[in-house]
């Protein structure tokens, strides 16, 4: 995904240097790409591993090389001089270990402070992307399953936005389909005065859904009326459209409460939006010879799959798949998106696999998965309860999302009160705790989700995520607040200091922190390429550990190194702030 060079990315820059060396060292092997990895030994920050692979190829030809070691030596000798490399050494086995120049590291950090963290953003070759996430279903409550889609989707959108991609954040809500006939008919029956009553009349929409389903399953007259209602709704009959809208509006308000709390921005374009496009889109696919008739339905056969993709049901109706084909067409052609990313749990893998395959055969998407226009299904595992089972309340219902957020917030508030136990809290002070408890509580929920590899299921452990030690948002937020307080305590105007001061490393812990700061570009680029937010979480946790190491070994305020160290603190603050922003977390300057 990354075509242009990325300025901040150390690995990329080293790759460029070694590519130059390879061209000189082995001019007859033009296809060899530099292999650079992070080195965790004392003797190197990075290493180049090309010699091992090259040697067997060179051995077959007459060259001046005598073994892996001698290839490595030549790679080292032919390396163009550069400010960033302090020294290289050839290790047993043919590794070239690279030590970066500490001055260069310090200078690069200072440069970022001057030019902004945006200069460390990955350069992606796409201009516009659609992220299809959250996407709950009308008349049903958002549950923890939608939590992952919402949180991971928001972060993926933010990662791309940071990389200067224009992101269309799409909420593909389930607002269409046969269940609406049943709901509308039930509305008419139970609330004859529905047109004049307000939303509260229906009250709990989920209970309403269940009651109408019960009626639908037990009364054949009702069932028939419901089926006719679908036809009338889809035919655009006014009264039915209006009832449908009212039902959708109630759900929408409920969803919006959750988005507002989580600070997630989304634009709703539900299934109904794409409905008018379906006939035309299916005709396009038909013209390409993709659509066939099978057992009364219209289908697309996909190689390697047992069942075909049904695009028109036997009763002539459209379905989830036909809607997704129309949505994909619309996003590519009307919205001119080059990359379309869908977030749902792993159970929909097969569905998206088939839709994408059909779109590739139609020539809408590039046949190569990593070329644009491109579509990806970003699937994720389940959220489980402490018992390891799928999360449910006692009544075996799914757990409403809003309850979890409430609990995280109140848990945080209790912890904050406990922290200041030796003080008397006034009513007013307790009120002031509210926004902090909210910021920390929601951050805890988000981070506990994002830090896992999204493909695995995880156990929702409330106590653990609110712990202020270990790999938790609470710990990270405290680390951030500590940095802010150090800077504040110094009384220094950082923006002035940036212009006149410089960063110089005198201790190892400073170098370790400095190098970790520079690796932000690598981490975010890796996270963006394969859409794994946990890569960024791991980076952020590592950064706060490196900061703790620095802070426990290097006094800041009141030392000869104060200004250099303050700039290092500020750089850490800036990078952490950016990571928090991408993870959808609001950092606090004081806790
Ligand atoms: N409404 C669906 C569900 O709750 C998710 C929709 C995902 N997006 C899409 N374009 N199919 O399972």
């Amino acid at each position: 995904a990354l075509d242009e060079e990325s300025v901040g990315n150390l690995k990329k820059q080293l790759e460029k240097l070694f590519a130059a060396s390879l061209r000189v060292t082995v001019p007859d092997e033009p296809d060899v790409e530099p292999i650079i990895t992070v080195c965790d030994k004392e003797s190197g920050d990075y290493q180049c591993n090309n010699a091992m692979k090259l040697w067997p190829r060179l051995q077959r030809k007459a060259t001046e090389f005598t073994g892996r070691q001698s290839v490595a030596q030549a790679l080292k000798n032919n390396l163009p001089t550069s400010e960033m490399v302090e020294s290289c050494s050839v290790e047993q086995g043919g590794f070239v270990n690279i030590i970066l120049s500490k001055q260069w590291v310090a200078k690069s950090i200072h440069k970022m402070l001057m030019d902004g963290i945006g200069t460390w953003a990955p350069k992606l070759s796409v201009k516009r992307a659609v992220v299809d996430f959250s996407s709950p279903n009308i008349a049903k409550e958002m549950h923890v399953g939608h939590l992952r889609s919402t949180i991971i989707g928001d972060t993926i959108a933010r990662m791309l936005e940071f990389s200067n991609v224009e992101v269309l954040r799409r909420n593909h809500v389930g607002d269409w389909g046969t269940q609406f006939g049943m709901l509308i008919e039930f509305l008419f029956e139970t609330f004859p005065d529905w047109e004049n009553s307000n939303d509260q009349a229906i009250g709990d929409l989920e209970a309403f859904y269940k009651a109408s389903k019960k009626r639908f399953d037990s009364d054949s007259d009702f069932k028939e009326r419901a089926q006719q209602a679908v036809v009338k709704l889809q035919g655009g009959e006014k009264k039915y459209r209006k009832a449908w809208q009212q039902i959708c509006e109630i759900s929408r308000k409920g969803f919006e409460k959750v988005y507002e709390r989580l600070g997630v921005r989304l634009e709703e374009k539900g299934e109904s939006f794409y409905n008018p496009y379906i006939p035309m889109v299916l005709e396009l696919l038909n013209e390409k010879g993709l659509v066939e008739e099978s057992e009364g339905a219209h289908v697309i056969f996909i190689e390697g799959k047992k069942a075909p993709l049904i695009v028109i049901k036997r009763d002539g109706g459209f379905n989830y798949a036909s809607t997704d084909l129309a949505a994909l067409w619309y996003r590519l052609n009307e919205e001119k998106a080059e990359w379309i990313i869908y977030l749902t749990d792993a159970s929909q893998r097969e569905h998206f696999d088939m839709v994408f395959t059909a779109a590739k055969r139609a020539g809408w998407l590039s046949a190569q998965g990593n070329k644009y226009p491109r579509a990806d299904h970003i699937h994720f595992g389940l959220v489980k309860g402490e018992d390891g089972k799928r999360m449910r309340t006692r009544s075996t219902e799914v757990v409403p999302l809003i309850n979890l957020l409430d609990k995280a917030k109140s848990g945080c508030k209790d912890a904050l009160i406990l922290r200041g136990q030796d003080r008397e809290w006034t009513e007013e002070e307790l009120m002031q705790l509210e926004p902090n408890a909210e910021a920390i509580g929601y951050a805890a929920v988000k981070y506990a989700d994002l830090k896992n590899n999204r493909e695995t299921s995880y156990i929702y452990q409330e106590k653990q995520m609110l712990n202020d030690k270990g790999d938790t948002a609470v710990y990270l937020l405290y680390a951030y607040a500590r940095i802010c307080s150090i800077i504040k305590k110094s009384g220094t105007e950082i923006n002035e200091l940036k212009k006149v001061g410089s960063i110089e490393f005198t201790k190892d812990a400073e170098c370790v922190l400095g190098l970790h700061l520079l690796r932000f570009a690598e981490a975010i680029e890796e996270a963006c390429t394969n859409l794994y937010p946990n890569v960024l979480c791991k980076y952020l946790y590592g950064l706060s550990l490196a900061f703790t190491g620095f802070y426990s070994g290097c006094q800041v305020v009141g030392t000869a190194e104060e200004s250099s160290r303050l700039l290092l603190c500020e750089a850490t603050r800036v990078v952490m702030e950016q990571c928090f922003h991408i993870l959808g977390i609001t950092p606090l300057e004081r806790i």
Side-chain angles (χ1 to χ4, degrees):
L2 302 144
D3 294 348
E4 292 169 60
E5 76 175 285
S6 298
V7 192
N9 192 320
L10 293 178
K11 220 161 116 184
K12 282 264 157 76
Q13 296 186 56
L14 289 169
E15 276 166 10
K16 257 176 108 177
L17 288 176
F18 276 87
S21 172
L22 279 164
R23 280 197 294 275
V24 178
T25 310
V26 282
D28 299 337
E29 308 278 343
D31 55 326
V32 179
E33 305 255 336
I35 309 168
I36 308 288
T37 58
V38 170
C39 176
D40 41 25
K41 284 187 248 136
E42 283 275 312
S43 49
D45 297 320
Y46 286 83
Q47 67 189 31
C48 169
N49 301 341
N50 281 89
M52 281 72 86
K53 264 209 173 148
L54 267 173
W55 171 239
R57 284 165 77 166
L58 297 171
Q59 212 172 5
R60 278 179 254 128
K61 304 177 186 171
T63 60
E64 74 271 26
F65 302 110
T66 56
R68 295 190 284 191
Q69 206 105 345
S70 90
V71 180
Q73 190 62 44
L75 282 173
K76 173 188 165 205
N77 294 345
N78 293 327
L79 199 68
T81 46
S82 140
E83 232 195 318
M84 78 182 289
V85 177
E86 182 157 294
S87 65
C88 286
S89 57
V90 172
E91 285 266 306
Q92 196 77 36
F95 302 96
V96 184
N97 283 359
I98 309 152
I99 294 198
L100 297 175
S101 148
K102 301 297 170 281
Q103 274 113 317
W104 180 83
V105 170
K107 245 173 70 181
S108 304
I109 293 167
H110 195 182
K111 193 164 164 34
M112 178 280 286
L113 280 178
M114 299 303 289
D115 300 343
I117 183 91
T119 53
W120 283 1
K123 305 243 177 341
L124 303 186
S125 60
V126 268
K127 292 207 166 49
R128 189 176 294 158
V130 164
V131 181
D132 174 323
F133 68 110
S134 193
S135 308
N137 298 319
I138 299 285
K140 301 215 180 132
E141 186 127 38
M142 270 178 99
H143 54 76
V144 283
H146 292 114
L147 175 74
R148 296 208 83 179
S149 179
T150 309
I151 291 176
I152 301 171
D154 181 48
T155 287
I156 285 178
R158 286 165 181 267
M159 290 190 326
L160 297 181
E161 282 155 358
F162 176 63
S163 312
N164 296 309
V165 177
E166 185 195 344
V167 178
L168 310 179
R169 295 160 160 261
R170 291 290 178 258
N171 200 1
H172 192 87
V173 297
D175 65 353
W176 207 239
T178 42
Q179 80 271 26
F180 280 96
M182 166 186 100
L183 291 170
I184 289 169
E185 217 32 62
F186 197 63
L187 178 72
F188 292 165
E189 199 173 270
T190 35
F191 299 101
D193 194 32
W194 63 275
E195 271 181 285
N196 305 312
S197 67
N198 55 15
D199 320 332
Q200 270 106 46
I202 295 185
D204 179 354
L205 198 53
E206 243 204 307
F208 181 81
Y209 181 90
K210 277 187 206 129
S212 63
K213 180 86 174 68
K214 208 168 155 194
R215 183 107 174 76
F216 183 85
D217 289 337
S218 60
D219 184 330
S220 58
D221 280 353
F222 179 83
K223 193 168 173 175
E224 198 161 305
R225 266 182 284 137
Q227 276 155 354
Q228 279 159 12
V230 181
V231 180
K232 287 179 184 153
L233 171 67
Q234 305 204 332
E237 217 169 286
K238 250 200 177 142
K239 182 175 153 197
Y240 290 80
R241 292 288 293 199
K242 202 171 163 200
W244 168 73
Q245 262 163 1
Q246 199 179 87
I247 294 168
C248 289
E249 193 52 33
I250 300 168
S251 271
R252 196 169 289 132
K253 280 190 185 143
F255 300 156
E256 258 155 29
K257 263 193 234 152
V258 176
Y259 300 140
E260 204 185 297
R261 285 214 198 181
L262 289 173
V264 171
R265 197 165 44 76
L266 264 157
E267 194 191 328
E268 181 181 318
K269 269 200 166 57
E271 291 179 6
S272 63
F273 177 86
Y274 304 101
N275 199 54
Y277 295 91
I278 297 177
M280 182 270 292
V281 168
L282 291 184
E283 189 43 43
L284 288 176
L285 294 170
N286 195 23
E287 280 164 18
K288 303 223 165 171
L290 262 64
V291 184
E292 293 171 49
E293 257 190 77
S294 169
E295 295 173 33
H298 288 71
V299 304
I300 300 177
F301 283 100
I302 307 282
E303 215 179 308
K305 304 279 178 201
K306 269 189 241 126
L309 185 67
I310 298 175
V311 293
I312 305 179
K313 293 185 292 183
R314 228 182 294 171
D315 66 7
F318 301 134
N319 62 6
Y320 192 53
S322 33
T323 306
D324 259 328
L325 284 167
L328 182 56
W329 178 89
Y330 185 88
R331 289 161 178 179
L332 290 166
N333 294 285
E334 295 292 315
E335 300 187 312
K336 307 264 181 268
E338 295 147 283
W339 194 4
I340 300 155
I341 298 165
Y342 299 78
L343 286 107
T344 78
D345 66 27
S347 69
Q348 296 192 32
R349 275 172 91 167
E350 183 81 353
H351 164 76
F352 284 110
D353 194 15
M354 302 222 323
V355 169
F356 298 166
T357 307
K360 280 178 191 169
R361 279 179 54 198
W364 298 353
L365 295 172
S366 163
Q368 281 153 291
N370 56 357
K371 293 252 162 60
Y372 303 99
R374 149 180 183 181
D376 285 279
H377 176 219
I378 303 301
H379 53 91
F380 44 79
L382 297 173
V383 186
K384 293 181 175 175
E386 307 249 6
D387 57 0
K389 296 207 185 100
R390 211 187 171 121
M391 209 166 176
R392 293 185 189 282
T393 56
R394 225 168 304 144
S395 56
T396 71
E397 298 293 332
V398 285
V399 180
L401 194 49
I402 215 107
N403 294 7
L404 287 182
L405 296 178
D406 280 342
K407 276 182 75 189
K409 177 182 163 185
S410 65
C412 256
K413 196 168 164 188
D414 295 345
L416 287 173
I417 292 172
L418 219 59
R419 261 190 174 245
Q421 58 188 185
D422 28 355
R423 61 193 282 190
E424 289 280 324
W425 293 91
T426 65
E427 201 53 40
E428 207 183 319
E429 280 173 330
L430 284 176
M431 283 292 286
Q432 280 163 2
L433 277 181
E434 284 283 306
N436 278 9
E438 201 165 276
I440 302 170
Y442 300 169
V445 174
K446 288 184 180 182
Y447 187 79
D449 189 301
L450 292 168
K451 76 170 189 177
N452 302 292
N453 177 317
R454 58 175 163 74
E455 275 155 39
T456 56
S457 299
Y458 75 95
I459 295 184
Y460 190 92
Q461 286 166 304
E462 197 173 70
K463 265 227 180 74
Q464 193 167 314
M465 68 174 73
L466 294 180
N467 199 330
D468 61 2
K469 285 173 203 74
D471 188 8
T472 65
V474 187
Y475 165 76
L476 294 168
L477 286 167
Y478 272 111
Y480 180 85
R482 170 146 1 97
I483 300 174
C484 293
S485 98
I486 296 167
I487 295 173
K488 201 165 164 214
K489 209 171 81 190
S490 75
T492 307
E493 188 51 66
I494 286 286
N495 281 333
E496 291 307 310
L497 181 63
K498 265 196 319 210
K499 289 181 216 147
V500 294
S502 64
I503 301 176
E504 274 143 53
F505 299 137
T506 57
K507 292 212 170 163
D508 273 353
E510 293 172 298
C511 300
V512 171
L513 175 60
L515 186 58
H516 203 95
L517 283 169
L518 272 194
R519 285 194 175 146
F520 168 73
E522 243 166 69
I524 180 73
E525 194 165 308
E526 194 190 329
C528 276
T529 312
N530 301 311
L531 305 175
Y532 280 106
N534 59 316
V535 172
L536 194 65
C537 294
K538 192 166 164 220
Y539 169 81
L540 177 59
Y541 183 53
L543 178 59
S544 60
L545 291 180
F547 183 80
T548 308
F550 154 77
Y551 188 58
S552 58
C554 307
Q555 201 187 323
V556 179
V557 180
T559 60
E561 295 87 4
E562 174 168 325
S563 67
S564 163
R565 288 180 180 166
L566 276 174
L567 289 176
L568 208 49
C569 286
E570 171 66 2
T572 310
R573 193 195 64 73
V574 168
V575 173
M576 283 188 88
E577 185 183 40
Q578 187 59 54
C579 291
F580 282 135
H581 179 78
I582 294 172
L583 299 174
I585 291 174
T586 315
L588 303 164
E589 284 179 27
R590 268 187 55 199
I591 302 181

